[in-house]
Each structure stands twice: as C-alpha cells, then as structure tokens.
Amino acid sequence: MAGVVQSVQALASSLGALPPEFVRPEHERPRATTFRGASPLQIPVVDMSLPDAGSRMVEAAREWGIFQVVNHGVPADTVAELQRVGREFFALPQEEKQRYAMDPASGKTEGYGSSVQRSTGDRKIWSDNLFHAISPPAAVNHGFWPDKPRGYREANEAYCGHMRRLTGEVLERLSAGLGLEKGAMAEAFAGGDDGLVLMQKVNFYPPCPQPELVLGFAPHTDLCALTVLVANDVPGLQVSKDGHWYDVEHVPGALIVNVGDQIEILSNGRYRAALHRATVSKEKTRMSWPVFVHPRREYIVAPHPRLVAGEIPAKYDYKAKTFEDYTYCKINKLPQ
Ligand code: OGA
Ligand code: NI
C-alpha cells in the first residue's frame, strides 16, 4: 500500500504561515489576473429543454470551450446525495481516508491523494482529491471506492447513470455541430457509448489563510474528451479567454460542461479545450465533483478523418500516439 498521504486539509487545520511552496509568482496570482468590471462576455448558460440547445452548445464549445447547462434532467436529490457522501468522506479522520491512498509512483492514479505529495518541481496547489472510475463496470475497481460514509456506492452509481446519458447527449450534439453523424464522437473515442470510460473526481479545497497567493488548481486543459462538473456553492472555477480569466458564476442547479483536449483535437480545432484554473476561499471549503469522459486507452489521438479531407490540413499530428501514452505524457509533463 502507498505511504502516508499528507493532505492540504491537515495542513490547513494546523497552519500558522503559508508554506512558501504554495506561493505563486506575481503573474499567476488570482486577483491580479482576473477580469473585473463590466464585461460584455459571459460564459453561456444553455437551457437543455429549449429547441436551440444543440446550436447554443456548439457555439459555446467553439467560443469558450465551456458552458453551463440547466434543465439537464439530473435530479437535484441525486446531485445532493453525491455531494453529501463526498463531503462526509473528506470529514473522516485522516487515517480512514488514507486507506484509499493513491500511489502514482506505481502507476495507480485512482484513490485519495493530495498535491502535497507530488514532487514535479512545480508549486503546490491548495487541494486534495479522490478519484476513481465509475463506468463501464469492467473499468471499475471498487477497492478505490470508500466504504464510508454509508451510501457512497449507491450515490455514485445513481449519479453515474445520469452522467452516461448526459455526456452521451452532449457528444451527439457536438458531433452534429461538426457535420458528422450523431454517434461519430462516441464511435471514434470508444467504438460506441458503452466503451466510453467515466472517471469521478472529488476535489477538496480547504479554506486558505492567504487565498490571493495560491491556486487550488493551476491553469490546465483537461486531457479527456469532455468534463461535466458540479461544485458546491463556493465559487472558484475560472476560465481563460483572450488573455483574461473569467469567473464561472454559480448558477444553482446547473452543471458545468467543458471541452477537453480530445474533442479539440478530434474536431481539428473547431472546438476549443477550455483553459481553466481554480481559486480558493479564505473562510469556506470549496468542493467540486468533475466527471471526466475518457476515450478507450488504445484510441489514436488525431483529428477525425472526415475533418481533414480535401483542402483542410490536420492542425494536430501526434504521430499515432494512443490516449494512454498521451495521458502519461500530460501527467508527467513530458512533450507530446
Ligand atoms: C479539475 C478541475 C476545477 C474545479 O479537477 O480538472 O479543473 O472547479 N477542477 O474544481
Ligand atoms: Ni480541469
């Protein structure tokens, strides 16, 4: 089993001064770089019950790589229960959480972990997390699913069912927006809906004595195809557009959808992967629950052949790299 997990949560509860390894250089600090004032730009909110939902998603995926959805059909109590079990897991004693410790050195990326442990030479981020596969059944290892609190498994399974439906629908709309058949993305990524791998993460951002000096998550694009995220009511997610960082406003009941690297590449750049980061609060714990949609491991990372035919050259060439290798390079910050 992996060693002791040092967590940001434990650090936050015992803290005097902020340890220097968390302090960002000036140009990365959240306050100095966030767009303030009367912005004409708003991260789109798409009402999925309206007839123009598909075209609005397509437009948002082109312009921003991120949008929120309302009337998405995921019941509020299913979301509340997912959030309850996540909250209660992080409230367990450290020794209990450590039973699920991830061990990236041995290639195990699932489980409970903290950026405090990672030694990539980067500045540390102010967050801990829990991460495990939820679908399809063959990809799930229940050894990484906490058996406390009560109801953890049922809550995650119920939410997962809705995520399969919702992510399938978004992929269909985005496929159609490229002039492809509805099933084209699912087919390319995974040989159909059943092959798509869904990973659930729970991010835990404890209060920070000097939130203006740190980030809960450094700027990145998600390496997957698509992410659907729900957070608690503490804001913190920001997205970059045209050199500015914008807050993703908390819209009660909404889910946040963002395009990851694989859809940007498959679309040959028609859709953009959202560059995003997370800030933290001085008084409140922020939590978020992203679900990542992954292609199968052997998927070849490349633009869809129908989008590079004729006059249009491929903007991306990863030399027949598999999704598994792409993931390895991105996690270990190696060139692609
Ligand atoms: C992530 C992420 C942002 C958030 O986990 O990849 O970007 O709002 N999280 O927690
Ligand atoms: Ni992300």
Side-chain angles (χ1 to χ4, degrees):
M1 206 58 215
V4 171
V5 178
Q6 293 177 291
S7 68
V8 173
Q9 188 179 14
L11 187 68
S13 62
S14 66
L15 200 61
L18 188 67
E21 62 269 29
F22 287 92
V23 176
R24 296 268 145 193
E26 203 91 35
H27 69 278
E28 289 181 14
R29 292 182 192 169
R31 211 158 281 174
T33 51
T34 300
F35 191 93
R36 298 275 176 238
S39 163
L41 298 179
Q42 289 263 311
I43 290 144
V45 178
V46 178
D47 183 338
M48 290 186 70
S49 70
L50 297 180
D52 68 349
S55 58
R56 298 217 43 230
M57 282 182 199
V58 165
E59 192 187 320
R62 289 210 175 108
E63 299 278 310
W64 287 91
I66 192 166
F67 52 92
Q68 307 209 44
V69 289
V70 294
N71 288 324
H72 42 62
V74 185
D77 56 358
T78 306
V79 175
E81 188 59 5
L82 176 82
Q83 294 183 317
R84 177 189 71 81
V85 296
R87 236 179 8 248
E88 290 183 10
F89 173 74
F90 277 92
L92 293 171
Q94 201 59 26
E95 313 81 75
E96 180 65 26
K97 295 194 285 271
Q98 252 145 6
R99 291 179 46 213
Y100 307 96
M102 62 173 75
D103 186 11
S106 70
K108 288 195 199 113
T109 55
E110 290 180 77
Y112 167 68
S114 170
S115 84
V116 174
Q117 299 167 289
R118 280 184 225 140
S119 53
T120 53
D122 279 338
R123 286 200 174 61
K124 296 193 186 308
I125 54 172
W126 195 261
S127 56
D128 301 325
N129 65 77
L130 176 66
F131 183 58
H132 55 69
I134 50 174
S135 182
V140 173
N141 178 347
H142 283 115
F144 293 111
W145 291 40
D147 45 30
K148 283 185 200 153
R150 187 195 292 263
Y152 186 90
R153 181 165 170 168
E154 293 75 9
N156 275 263
E157 285 176 347
Y159 189 68
C160 174
H162 290 284
M163 286 300 110
R164 287 187 52 141
R165 174 189 57 75
L166 180 63
T167 58
E169 194 173 330
V170 175
L171 291 180
E172 286 185 359
R173 308 272 199 171
L174 296 183
S175 296
L178 297 169
L180 301 173
E181 295 77 35
K182 282 197 308 188
M185 279 197 197
E187 188 59 39
F189 289 139
D193 276 351
D194 294 345
L196 292 168
V197 177
L198 268 50
M199 307 292 300
Q200 177 76 60
K201 192 174 171 204
V202 188
N203 288 312
F204 185 88
Y205 305 96
C208 177
Q210 291 176 288
E212 66 284 359
L213 300 182
V214 309
L215 286 173
F217 230 108
H220 66 284
T221 55
D222 291 344
L223 61 83
C224 56
L226 189 75
T227 305
V228 176
L229 177 147
V230 63
N232 67 359
D233 58 1
V234 181
L237 181 59
Q238 297 187 321
V239 61
S240 170
K241 183 168 163 56
D242 306 328
H244 293 289
W245 287 97
Y246 295 90
D247 292 317
V248 179
E249 306 291 339
H250 176 69
V251 175
L255 299 170
I256 298 162
V257 179
N258 84 267
V259 172
D261 294 348
Q262 301 313 320
I263 286 184
E264 175 175 319
I265 297 164
L266 176 138
S267 76
N268 203 21
R270 288 170 175 78
Y271 296 134
R272 53 185 282 182
L275 180 64
H276 57 284
R277 68 180 186 184
T279 64
V280 300
S281 154
K282 191 173 168 81
E283 284 93 24
K284 293 182 176 164
T285 295
R286 176 164 188 269
M287 291 185 71
S288 71
W289 289 260
V291 168
F292 303 108
V293 180
H294 284 201
R296 61 176 164 213
R297 285 192 298 186
E298 321 77 54
Y299 168 71
I300 301 293
V301 178
H304 195 284
R306 295 245 322 263
L307 303 176
V308 293
E311 311 276 277
I312 312 159
K315 288 193 191 155
Y316 305 83
D317 183 4
Y318 292 101
K319 314 259 181 274
K321 181 174 255 177
T322 62
F323 178 63
E324 184 172 29
D325 289 344
Y326 185 97
T327 302
Y328 180 85
C329 291
K330 183 131 175 172
I331 290 175
N332 293 291
K333 299 194 162 61
L334 301 169
Q336 287 293 356

